[in-house]
Amino acid sequence: MPLMKNSKTTYALLGWLSTGPMSGYDLKRLTDRYIGQFWAGSFGQIYPLLHDMLDVGWVTMHEERTGSNPAKKVYTITETGRREFVAWFSTPVEPDVARSELLLRIFFGSFAPPENLIECLEGLLKDSRAKLALYESMREEFPKQYAHLPNLPYIMITLDRGFVVHQGFVEWAERALKTLKNIASNDHPQ
Amino acid sequence: MPLMKNSKTTYALLGWLSTGPMSGYDLKRLTDRYIGQFWAGSFGQIYPLLHDMLDVGWVTMHEERTGSNPAKKVYTITETGRREFVAWFSTPVEPDVARSELLLRIFFGSFAPPENLIECLEGLLKDSRAKLALYESMREEFPKQYAHLPNLPYIMITLDRGFVVHQGFVEWAERALKTLKNIASNDHPQ
DNA sequence: CGTGTCATGTAATCAGTTACATGATTCA
DNA sequence: TGAATCATGTAACTGATTACATGACACG
Protein backbone atom coordinates (compact mmCIF):
# COMPACT_ATOMS: atom_id res chain seq x y z
CA MET A 1 0.00 0.00 0.00
CA PRO A 2 1.40 3.38 -0.99
CA LEU A 3 2.09 6.01 1.65
CA MET A 4 0.62 9.50 1.92
CA LYS A 5 2.79 12.59 1.72
CA ASN A 6 3.44 14.31 4.99
CA SER A 7 1.23 17.33 4.47
CA LYS A 8 -1.31 18.47 7.05
CA THR A 9 -3.34 19.94 4.20
CA THR A 10 -4.49 16.34 3.70
CA TYR A 11 -6.39 16.63 6.97
CA ALA A 12 -7.98 19.90 5.97
CA LEU A 13 -9.32 18.11 2.89
CA LEU A 14 -10.49 15.12 4.93
CA GLY A 15 -12.17 17.58 7.30
CA TRP A 16 -14.19 19.16 4.53
CA LEU A 17 -14.98 15.78 2.98
CA SER A 18 -16.29 14.64 6.37
CA THR A 19 -19.11 17.14 5.82
CA GLY A 20 -20.02 15.68 2.43
CA PRO A 21 -18.70 14.74 -1.04
CA MET A 22 -17.25 17.54 -3.13
CA SER A 23 -14.75 18.47 -5.84
CA GLY A 24 -11.21 19.85 -5.66
CA TYR A 25 -12.57 23.18 -6.77
CA ASP A 26 -15.10 23.18 -3.93
CA LEU A 27 -12.40 22.25 -1.45
CA LYS A 28 -10.26 25.15 -2.56
CA ARG A 29 -13.15 27.61 -2.27
CA LEU A 30 -14.18 26.48 1.21
CA THR A 31 -10.58 26.47 2.40
CA ASP A 32 -9.92 30.02 1.21
CA ARG A 33 -13.17 31.29 2.57
CA TYR A 34 -13.48 29.66 5.97
CA ILE A 35 -10.05 28.59 7.16
CA GLY A 36 -7.85 30.82 5.02
CA GLN A 37 -6.82 32.84 8.06
CA PHE A 38 -4.89 29.90 9.49
CA TRP A 39 -4.57 27.40 6.64
CA ALA A 40 -3.67 27.81 2.97
CA GLY A 41 -4.08 25.36 0.10
CA SER A 42 -3.31 26.03 -3.54
CA PHE A 43 -4.69 24.12 -6.53
CA GLY A 44 -1.16 22.91 -7.20
CA GLN A 45 -1.29 21.20 -3.83
CA ILE A 46 -4.93 20.14 -3.56
CA TYR A 47 -5.31 18.28 -6.87
CA PRO A 48 -2.20 16.11 -6.43
CA LEU A 49 -3.15 15.38 -2.80
CA LEU A 50 -6.61 14.22 -3.91
CA HIS A 51 -4.97 11.83 -6.39
CA ASP A 52 -2.74 10.48 -3.62
CA MET A 53 -5.70 10.04 -1.28
CA LEU A 54 -7.48 8.14 -4.00
CA ASP A 55 -4.46 5.82 -4.51
CA VAL A 56 -4.30 5.19 -0.80
CA GLY A 57 -8.02 4.55 -0.45
CA TRP A 58 -8.94 7.43 1.83
CA VAL A 59 -11.41 8.75 -0.73
CA THR A 60 -13.37 7.49 -3.74
CA MET A 61 -14.17 9.52 -6.84
CA HIS A 62 -16.96 9.70 -9.37
CA GLU A 63 -17.35 12.07 -12.29
CA GLU A 64 -20.36 14.26 -12.67
CA ARG A 65 -20.99 15.25 -16.26
CA THR A 66 -23.31 18.22 -16.26
CA GLY A 67 -22.73 18.83 -19.94
CA SER A 68 -19.82 21.07 -19.03
CA ASN A 69 -16.19 20.21 -19.58
CA PRO A 70 -14.00 19.12 -17.86
CA ALA A 71 -16.22 16.77 -15.90
CA LYS A 72 -16.53 17.64 -12.22
CA LYS A 73 -14.74 15.05 -10.11
CA VAL A 74 -16.56 14.50 -6.84
CA TYR A 75 -14.61 12.93 -3.98
CA THR A 76 -16.19 10.98 -1.14
CA ILE A 77 -14.41 10.07 2.09
CA THR A 78 -14.15 6.33 2.87
CA GLU A 79 -14.24 4.53 6.21
CA THR A 80 -10.44 4.29 6.08
CA GLY A 81 -10.29 8.01 5.43
CA ARG A 82 -12.52 8.72 8.41
CA ARG A 83 -10.39 6.55 10.64
CA GLU A 84 -7.19 8.28 9.48
CA PHE A 85 -8.79 11.65 10.03
CA VAL A 86 -9.88 10.88 13.59
CA ALA A 87 -6.48 9.32 14.34
CA TRP A 88 -4.81 12.61 13.40
CA PHE A 89 -6.41 14.29 16.43
CA SER A 90 -4.51 12.07 18.84
CA THR A 91 -1.07 12.72 17.32
CA PRO A 92 1.17 15.53 18.67
CA VAL A 93 0.29 18.99 17.35
CA GLU A 94 2.93 20.91 15.50
CA PRO A 95 3.40 24.21 17.30
CA ASP A 96 2.78 27.28 15.13
CA VAL A 97 6.02 28.54 13.60
CA ALA A 98 5.83 32.28 13.28
CA ARG A 99 8.13 34.06 10.88
CA SER A 100 7.75 37.79 11.10
CA GLU A 101 9.55 40.12 8.75
CA LEU A 102 8.08 42.99 10.73
CA LEU A 103 9.77 41.91 13.95
CA LEU A 104 13.00 41.28 12.07
CA ARG A 105 12.94 44.86 10.83
CA ILE A 106 12.16 46.25 14.24
CA PHE A 107 14.89 44.23 15.93
CA PHE A 108 17.44 45.77 13.58
CA GLY A 109 15.52 49.05 13.41
CA SER A 110 18.31 51.19 14.83
CA PHE A 111 20.15 50.93 11.49
CA ALA A 112 17.43 52.68 9.49
CA PRO A 113 15.32 55.82 9.77
CA PRO A 114 12.44 55.24 12.22
CA GLU A 115 10.02 56.77 9.71
CA ASN A 116 10.22 53.58 7.63
CA LEU A 117 9.15 51.44 10.56
CA ILE A 118 6.41 53.89 11.52
CA GLU A 119 4.95 53.74 8.03
CA CYS A 120 5.03 49.93 8.05
CA LEU A 121 3.41 49.70 11.43
CA GLU A 122 0.69 52.21 10.67
CA GLY A 123 -0.29 50.26 7.57
CA LEU A 124 -0.46 46.96 9.41
CA LEU A 125 -2.24 48.56 12.34
CA LYS A 126 -4.96 49.83 10.04
CA ASP A 127 -5.40 46.36 8.51
CA SER A 128 -5.47 44.73 11.91
CA ARG A 129 -8.06 47.16 13.24
CA ALA A 130 -10.29 46.37 10.27
CA LYS A 131 -9.93 42.64 10.88
CA LEU A 132 -10.59 43.10 14.56
CA ALA A 133 -13.89 44.80 13.72
CA LEU A 134 -14.68 41.97 11.31
CA TYR A 135 -14.09 39.29 13.93
CA GLU A 136 -16.11 41.25 16.42
CA SER A 137 -19.09 41.38 14.09
CA MET A 138 -18.71 37.71 13.14
CA ARG A 139 -18.66 36.79 16.81
CA GLU A 140 -22.03 38.46 17.10
CA GLU A 141 -23.58 37.30 13.84
CA PHE A 142 -22.50 33.66 13.66
CA PRO A 143 -24.50 32.37 16.64
CA LYS A 144 -27.66 33.80 15.09
CA GLN A 145 -26.89 32.94 11.46
CA TYR A 146 -25.54 29.43 12.02
CA ALA A 147 -27.43 28.45 15.16
CA HIS A 148 -28.36 25.11 13.59
CA LEU A 149 -24.77 23.98 12.95
CA PRO A 150 -23.68 21.29 15.40
CA ASN A 151 -20.06 22.43 15.11
CA LEU A 152 -20.84 26.06 15.86
CA PRO A 153 -18.96 26.04 19.21
CA TYR A 154 -15.79 24.92 17.40
CA ILE A 155 -16.13 27.63 14.78
CA MET A 156 -16.68 30.18 17.53
CA ILE A 157 -13.40 29.17 19.17
CA THR A 158 -11.50 29.78 15.93
CA LEU A 159 -13.26 33.14 15.50
CA ASP A 160 -12.34 34.06 19.05
CA ARG A 161 -8.72 33.29 18.18
CA GLY A 162 -8.82 35.74 15.30
CA PHE A 163 -10.28 38.31 17.62
CA VAL A 164 -7.60 37.87 20.28
CA VAL A 165 -4.75 37.80 17.75
CA HIS A 166 -5.71 41.12 16.24
CA GLN A 167 -6.60 42.64 19.58
CA GLY A 168 -3.07 41.80 20.75
CA PHE A 169 -1.51 43.17 17.59
CA VAL A 170 -3.38 46.47 17.83
CA GLU A 171 -2.49 46.85 21.51
CA TRP A 172 1.19 46.17 20.84
CA ALA A 173 1.43 48.25 17.66
CA GLU A 174 0.01 51.29 19.43
CA ARG A 175 2.65 51.02 22.15
CA ALA A 176 5.39 50.40 19.56
CA LEU A 177 4.34 53.43 17.53
CA LYS A 178 4.53 55.62 20.60
CA THR A 179 8.12 54.50 21.20
CA LEU A 180 9.13 54.91 17.55
CA LYS A 181 7.58 58.35 17.22
CA ASN A 182 9.44 59.38 20.32
CA ILE A 183 12.72 58.18 18.80
CA ALA A 184 11.91 59.96 15.52
CA SER A 185 11.24 63.30 17.21
CA ASN A 186 14.52 63.05 19.14
CA ASP A 187 16.37 62.31 15.88
CA HIS A 188 15.11 65.55 14.29
CA PRO A 189 14.66 68.07 17.09
CA GLN A 190 12.43 71.04 16.24
CA MET B 1 26.67 41.44 -11.53
CA PRO B 2 24.98 38.33 -10.11
CA LEU B 3 21.69 38.65 -8.26
CA MET B 4 20.92 37.69 -4.69
CA LYS B 5 18.37 35.03 -3.86
CA ASN B 6 15.06 36.29 -2.64
CA SER B 7 15.43 35.27 1.00
CA LYS B 8 14.77 37.69 3.86
CA THR B 9 17.25 35.71 5.92
CA THR B 10 19.86 37.69 3.99
CA TYR B 11 18.72 40.79 5.87
CA ALA B 12 18.91 39.05 9.21
CA LEU B 13 22.56 38.28 8.40
CA LEU B 14 23.22 41.85 7.21
CA GLY B 15 21.62 43.07 10.43
CA TRP B 16 24.00 41.09 12.60
CA LEU B 17 26.97 42.02 10.43
CA SER B 18 26.01 45.69 10.87
CA THR B 19 27.00 45.23 14.52
CA GLY B 20 30.45 43.88 13.61
CA PRO B 21 32.33 41.23 11.60
CA MET B 22 31.62 37.61 12.43
CA SER B 23 31.50 34.03 11.14
CA GLY B 24 28.63 31.93 9.85
CA TYR B 25 28.73 29.97 13.06
CA ASP B 26 28.41 33.17 15.11
CA LEU B 27 25.50 34.30 12.94
CA LYS B 28 23.68 31.04 13.54
CA ARG B 29 24.20 31.25 17.29
CA LEU B 30 23.00 34.86 17.56
CA THR B 31 20.02 34.17 15.32
CA ASP B 32 18.85 31.18 17.35
CA ARG B 33 19.39 32.94 20.64
CA TYR B 34 18.04 36.41 20.04
CA ILE B 35 15.61 36.36 17.15
CA GLY B 36 14.73 32.66 17.07
CA GLN B 37 11.20 33.43 18.27
CA PHE B 38 10.36 35.14 14.99
CA TRP B 39 13.13 34.20 12.58
CA ALA B 40 14.83 30.89 11.82
CA GLY B 41 18.06 30.23 9.91
CA SER B 42 19.70 26.86 9.46
CA PHE B 43 23.34 26.23 8.58
CA GLY B 44 22.18 24.81 5.28
CA GLN B 45 20.78 28.22 4.51
CA ILE B 46 23.26 30.57 6.17
CA TYR B 47 26.49 29.23 4.63
CA PRO B 48 25.25 29.34 1.02
CA LEU B 49 23.77 32.80 1.57
CA LEU B 50 27.10 34.08 2.86
CA HIS B 51 28.79 32.77 -0.30
CA ASP B 52 26.19 34.55 -2.43
CA MET B 53 26.62 37.79 -0.50
CA LEU B 54 30.35 37.53 -1.06
CA ASP B 55 29.85 37.03 -4.82
CA VAL B 56 27.58 40.03 -4.93
CA GLY B 57 29.89 42.26 -2.92
CA TRP B 58 27.67 42.85 0.10
CA VAL B 59 30.31 41.35 2.40
CA THR B 60 34.03 40.64 2.39
CA MET B 61 35.69 37.66 4.01
CA HIS B 62 38.99 36.91 5.68
CA GLU B 63 40.14 33.70 7.33
CA GLU B 64 41.29 33.60 10.91
CA ARG B 65 43.64 30.75 11.59
CA THR B 66 43.75 30.23 15.33
CA GLY B 67 45.56 26.94 14.93
CA SER B 68 42.22 25.19 14.80
CA ASN B 69 40.69 23.64 11.71
CA PRO B 70 38.72 24.50 9.67
CA ALA B 71 39.82 28.14 9.63
CA LYS B 72 37.19 30.53 10.92
CA LYS B 73 35.80 32.64 8.09
CA VAL B 74 35.02 36.12 9.29
CA TYR B 75 32.59 38.19 7.22
CA THR B 76 32.52 41.99 7.15
CA ILE B 77 29.69 44.06 5.71
CA THR B 78 30.63 46.45 2.86
CA GLU B 79 29.25 49.87 2.02
CA THR B 80 27.14 48.26 -0.70
CA GLY B 81 25.87 45.79 1.87
CA ARG B 82 24.94 48.58 4.25
CA ARG B 83 23.10 50.43 1.49
CA GLU B 84 21.17 47.29 0.51
CA PHE B 85 20.32 46.67 4.14
CA VAL B 86 18.95 50.15 4.73
CA ALA B 87 17.05 50.03 1.41
CA TRP B 88 15.23 46.92 2.63
CA PHE B 89 13.48 48.97 5.31
CA SER B 90 11.68 51.06 2.71
CA THR B 91 10.30 48.12 0.73
CA PRO B 92 6.83 46.71 1.49
CA VAL B 93 6.73 44.32 4.48
CA GLU B 94 5.52 40.82 3.92
CA PRO B 95 2.59 40.23 6.28
CA ASP B 96 3.06 37.31 8.66
CA VAL B 97 1.51 34.15 7.27
CA ALA B 98 0.22 32.08 10.14
CA ARG B 99 -0.36 28.40 9.65
CA SER B 100 -1.88 26.80 12.68
CA GLU B 101 -2.43 23.09 12.92
CA LEU B 102 -4.10 23.71 16.26
CA LEU B 103 -6.80 25.91 14.74
CA LEU B 104 -7.24 23.44 11.90
CA ARG B 105 -7.94 20.69 14.43
CA ILE B 106 -10.33 22.86 16.39
CA PHE B 107 -12.24 23.95 13.30
CA PHE B 108 -12.90 20.30 12.46
CA GLY B 109 -13.05 19.34 16.12
CA SER B 110 -16.63 18.07 16.02
CA PHE B 111 -15.43 14.94 14.21
CA ALA B 112 -13.20 13.75 17.04
CA PRO B 113 -13.48 13.24 20.81
CA PRO B 114 -13.10 16.62 22.58
CA GLU B 115 -10.65 15.02 25.01
CA ASN B 116 -8.00 15.04 22.28
CA LEU B 117 -8.33 18.78 21.77
CA ILE B 118 -8.37 19.41 25.50
CA GLU B 119 -5.11 17.53 25.93
CA CYS B 120 -3.50 19.48 23.08
CA LEU B 121 -4.64 22.79 24.39
CA GLU B 122 -3.59 22.11 27.95
CA GLY B 123 -0.07 21.26 26.78
CA LEU B 124 0.25 24.38 24.68
CA LEU B 125 -1.30 26.51 27.40
CA LYS B 126 1.33 25.33 29.85
CA ASP B 127 4.13 26.17 27.39
CA SER B 128 2.63 29.56 26.65
CA ARG B 129 2.27 30.41 30.33
CA ALA B 130 5.95 29.60 30.83
CA LYS B 131 6.95 31.81 27.92
CA LEU B 132 4.71 34.59 29.17
CA ALA B 133 6.55 34.52 32.49
CA LEU B 134 9.86 34.54 30.63
CA TYR B 135 8.94 37.59 28.59
CA GLU B 136 7.66 39.30 31.70
CA SER B 137 10.98 38.82 33.45
CA MET B 138 12.96 39.85 30.36
CA ARG B 139 10.91 43.01 30.12
CA GLU B 140 12.03 43.82 33.64
CA GLU B 141 15.65 42.69 33.39
CA PHE B 142 16.70 43.96 29.95
CA PRO B 143 16.50 47.70 30.68
CA LYS B 144 18.85 47.19 33.64
CA GLN B 145 21.15 44.62 32.05
CA TYR B 146 21.46 46.26 28.63
CA ALA B 147 20.97 49.92 29.54
CA HIS B 148 24.03 50.87 27.48
CA LEU B 149 22.74 49.42 24.19
CA PRO B 150 21.63 52.13 21.76
CA ASN B 151 19.11 49.75 20.18
CA LEU B 152 17.51 48.77 23.50
CA PRO B 153 14.16 50.44 22.64
CA TYR B 154 13.92 48.29 19.49
CA ILE B 155 14.69 45.12 21.39
CA MET B 156 12.10 46.07 23.99
CA ILE B 157 9.45 46.38 21.29
CA THR B 158 10.16 42.84 20.09
CA LEU B 159 10.07 41.56 23.68
CA ASP B 160 6.75 43.32 24.18
CA ARG B 161 5.45 41.49 21.12
CA GLY B 162 6.37 38.14 22.65
CA PHE B 163 4.59 39.17 25.80
CA VAL B 164 1.39 40.20 24.02
CA VAL B 165 1.35 37.12 21.78
CA HIS B 166 1.49 34.72 24.69
CA GLN B 167 -0.85 36.79 26.81
CA GLY B 168 -3.39 36.55 23.99
CA PHE B 169 -2.87 32.85 23.58
CA VAL B 170 -3.33 32.14 27.29
CA GLU B 171 -6.45 34.27 27.45
CA TRP B 172 -7.96 32.53 24.42
CA ALA B 173 -6.92 29.02 25.40
CA GLU B 174 -8.55 29.36 28.80
CA ARG B 175 -11.84 30.37 27.20
CA ALA B 176 -11.53 27.59 24.60
CA LEU B 177 -10.87 24.98 27.29
CA LYS B 178 -13.98 26.03 29.16
CA THR B 179 -16.08 25.50 26.03
CA LEU B 180 -14.47 22.15 25.21
CA LYS B 181 -14.81 20.80 28.73
CA ASN B 182 -18.43 21.77 28.64
CA ILE B 183 -18.91 19.83 25.40
CA ALA B 184 -17.01 16.85 26.83
CA SER B 185 -19.18 16.68 29.95
CA ASN B 186 -22.35 16.81 27.84
CA ASP B 187 -21.01 13.97 25.68
CA HIS B 188 -20.54 11.74 28.71
CA PRO B 189 -23.23 12.70 31.22
CA GLN B 190 -22.63 11.61 34.82
C1' DC C 1 38.23 8.21 26.27
C1' DG C 2 34.04 9.90 24.98
C1' DT C 3 30.81 13.80 24.83
C1' DG C 4 30.03 18.51 23.68
C1' DT C 5 31.27 22.56 21.38
C1' DC C 6 33.49 24.92 17.58
C1' DA C 7 33.50 25.22 12.60
C1' DT C 8 32.42 24.66 7.50
C1' DG C 9 30.16 22.80 4.07
C1' DT C 10 27.05 19.86 0.48
C1' DA C 11 23.30 16.86 -1.24
C1' DA C 12 18.89 15.21 -0.87
C1' DT C 13 14.53 16.10 0.13
C1' DC C 14 10.24 18.52 1.05
C1' DA C 15 6.08 21.31 1.21
C1' DG C 16 4.27 24.68 -1.11
C1' DT C 17 3.60 28.52 -4.64
C1' DT C 18 3.47 30.27 -9.24
C1' DA C 19 2.87 30.04 -13.84
C1' DC C 20 1.06 27.91 -17.47
C1' DA C 21 -2.32 25.18 -20.45
C1' DT C 22 -7.02 24.06 -21.61
C1' DG C 23 -11.79 24.94 -22.31
C1' DA C 24 -16.86 25.55 -21.20
C1' DT C 25 -20.37 28.66 -19.30
C1' DT C 26 -22.40 32.91 -17.78
C1' DC C 27 -23.35 37.63 -17.75
C1' DA C 28 -22.93 42.54 -18.73
C1' DT D 1 -17.31 40.49 -27.32
C1' DG D 2 -14.85 40.12 -23.53
C1' DA D 3 -14.38 39.44 -18.62
C1' DA D 4 -15.45 36.45 -14.65
C1' DT D 5 -16.30 32.10 -12.92
C1' DC D 6 -16.23 27.13 -13.13
C1' DA D 7 -13.08 23.24 -13.52
C1' DT D 8 -8.82 20.24 -13.79
C1' DG D 9 -4.35 19.61 -14.12
C1' DT D 10 1.18 19.76 -14.66
C1' DA D 11 5.97 21.60 -14.59
C1' DA D 12 9.13 24.56 -12.81
C1' DC D 13 10.77 26.78 -9.20
C1' DT D 14 11.83 28.21 -4.41
C1' DG D 15 12.82 28.73 0.34
C1' DA D 16 14.01 25.96 3.73
C1' DT D 17 15.07 21.79 6.59
C1' DT D 18 17.50 17.54 7.40
C1' DA D 19 21.01 14.53 7.09
C1' DC D 20 25.45 13.73 6.25
C1' DA D 21 30.66 14.40 6.09
C1' DT D 22 34.82 16.18 8.16
C1' DG D 23 37.83 17.35 11.87
C1' DA D 24 40.01 19.97 15.83
C1' DC D 25 39.78 21.22 20.70
C1' DA D 26 38.31 21.21 25.56
C1' DC D 27 36.48 19.23 29.63
C1' DG D 28 35.41 15.86 32.95
Side-chain angles (χ1 to χ4, degrees), chain A residues 117-128:
Chain A
L117 291 179
I118 291 172
E119 206 186 319
C120 264
L121 258 175
E122 276 174 343
L124 293 170
L125 180 56
K126 203 187 142 202
D127 296 349
S128 216

Side-chain angles (χ1 to χ4, degrees), chain A residues 19 146-156, chain B residues 107 109-111 183 187:
Chain A
T19 70
Y146 299 107
H148 59 288
L149 287 180
N151 61 329
L152 180 64
Y154 294 94
I155 297 175
M156 291 309 294
Chain B
F107 187 85
S110 62
F111 297 105
I183 293 172
D187 275 3

Side-chain angles (χ1 to χ4, degrees), chain A residues 63-188:
Chain A
E63 296 194 24
E64 263 176 27
R65 278 175 220 80
T66 55
S68 69
N69 256 335
K72 194 172 178 170
K73 297 188 173 178
V74 177
Y75 293 86
T76 307
I77 192 167
T78 62
E79 261 318 299
T80 319
R82 267 179 221 279
R83 249 183 289 121
E84 287 293 336
F85 183 54
V86 172
W88 169 56
F89 286 87
S90 52
T91 60
V93 226
E94 226 169 76
D96 305 1
V97 252
R99 229 157 205 260
S100 172
E101 194 193 339
L102 178 65
L103 285 185
L104 188 60
R105 286 190 190 197
I106 291 174
F107 187 84
F108 293 116
S110 61
F111 297 106
E115 285 77 13
N116 286 333
L117 291 179
I118 291 172
E119 206 186 319
C120 264
L121 258 175
E122 276 174 343
L124 293 170
L125 180 56
K126 203 187 142 202
D127 296 349
S128 216
R129 271 204 255 258
K131 280 196 179 157
L132 184 59
L134 192 71
Y135 280 109
E136 246 174 331
S137 76
M138 285 197 289
R139 271 212 308 194
E140 271 185 46
E141 292 307 313
F142 267 55
K144 297 175 208 164
Q145 217 173 331
Y146 299 107
H148 59 288
L149 287 180
N151 61 329
L152 180 64
Y154 294 94
I155 297 175
M156 291 309 294
I157 294 176
T158 63
L159 285 185
D160 189 35
R161 183 76 189 121
F163 177 79
V164 172
V165 163
H166 289 287
Q167 187 185 250
F169 186 88
V170 168
E171 200 184 293
W172 165 79
E174 281 170 351
R175 279 204 292 267
L177 274 170
K178 224 177 274 180
T179 307
L180 292 174
K181 281 176 179 170
N182 201 36
I183 292 172
S185 69
N186 285 355
D187 276 3
H188 322 289

Side-chain angles (χ1 to χ4, degrees), chain A residues 23-25 44 47 51 70-73 99:
Chain A
S23 68
Y25 196 83
Y47 286 124
H51 296 328
K72 194 172 178 170
K73 297 188 173 178
R99 229 157 205 260

